[in-house]
Amino acid sequence: MDSNYKKELEPGFSPLTVCEEASRCLLCLDAPCSKACPAGTSPDKFIRSVRFRNFKGAAETIRENNALGAICARVCPTEKYCQKGCSRSGIDRPIDIGRIQRYVTDYEESLKMEILKAGKANGKKVAIVGSGPSALQAAVSLRSLGYAVEVFEKEKVLGGMLRLIPEYRLPDRVVDKEIERIEKLGVKFHVGECVGKDVKLEELKKAFDAVLLAPGYSYGKMLPAFEGNPNVVLAVDFLREVKAKKGEVKVPANVLVVGGGDVAMDVVTTLKLLGVEHVTDVVYEQFKEFKASKKELEGAQRLGVTIMDGYVPAKVEGKVVSFAHREIKGEVKIEADKIILAVGQYPDVSGLGVELVKGEVNEGKKYFTKDPKVFVCGDIAKSEFDKTVVGGVRTGKEVALYIDAALGGK
Ligand SMILES: Cc1cc2nc3c(=O)[nH]c(=O)nc-3n(C[C@H](O)[C@H](O)[C@H](O)COP(=O)(O)OP(=O)(O)OC[C@H]3O[C@@H](n4cnc5c(N)ncnc54)[C@H](O)[C@@H]3O)c2cc1C
Ligand code: SF4
């Protein structure tokens, strides 16, 4: 199968074009871009450094504020945050902050800079459950405060949902490098250890001064009509397999995808980049209500994905799915050799001693649970931040300060 899956779709800047882009920046005094960044990455400051060709200084600004700077540079929905309020939009178009950040963090990597530092050991230990973005950022923030940190991950690979974001948007090597830097800081990682099953929460509570839960929304949702059907796979399982096998997977020439969010767009785009001829995406929402970002939707359409909006699955018989339109009478039957469900994810906190209300833990004050030794962050924590990588980074930074305060820090 002819595969374009491994190439980063968006081209990076060159030394010349990054300086050209930085020179468009208005160096705003009140810098709306920096106010809008949940991770506090300070675009105005690092763009200023780039304008003066000080790439090292720019890398320091990014990394000191965001332990996942190279990842956020690639996957952050900048149109919702820093670029949304960019003053340059009033003249022509916003500064491409994400790609400037990508250039700078690639430069940092090429020089093997070591910016993150551990703080003076304070003799206290924190266990973290899960290794997604919020957990990784919390681990770095806690190390900088002098805590010994151990991370427990149920999968064999670290990174949480970052390992599902397709290679053409987020290469695995970028995630590997970010985790390597964190490991160098002295964070200890345990893989293939599910807390609540292989390791009991009570054991962690005895061995550590605090336990931080960051299990995310790691399980894919199934629809009852599709349950037990051998032709059906869940989007999270499909994306995980394609990424783990570097795109070397066999997929039939005719695939039906159900769902219309960003994860569904990742699935259909992946299928096209893998060379699948017929990809049909059937979506509950109508185009005007679409959940996926415009950029991802248009990208999928450009690759030739057929998108049918406003349909609900009515009956499933083997490889044939009948759909009813939400407004127009009648039925459409689609036959496919593989059916991929991208209808959302859910969290599982069994054995973690906390309860979920509408998919979130909100048992005490922000990031606290009923148990004074147990804290939460990331997608399962009730917070004002979006369920995104950068939202996770923000909750990871904040929860580290809450844990420090609870354990007698400043
Ligand atoms: C396909 C896909 C594409 C996405 N694309 C983007 C994007 O482009 N931009 C963006 O900002 N966001 C994106 N997101 C969302 C983003 O990845 C999540 O918001 C973010 O990863 C949540 O981080 P988290 O720290 O809460 O945990 P997660 O990343 O969800 O990781 C949680 C980890 O905890 C582990 N775990 C769970 N239970 C246990 C247990 N009991 N014991 C041990 N380990 C456990 C899980 O295995 C998992 O590794 C995407 C998500 C998906 C699924
Ligand atoms: S808002 Fe835009 S123009 Fe102003 S400092 Fe930030 S990137 Fe530059």
Side-chain angles (χ1 to χ4, degrees), residues 75 130 133-134 153-154 160-161 169 195 215-216 266 379 387-389:
V75 304
S134 66
E153 168 56 57
K154 71 176 169 62
M161 296 302 107
R169 292 206 292 123
V195 176
D266 277 347
D379 278 359
K387 296 191 192 312
T388 56
V389 175

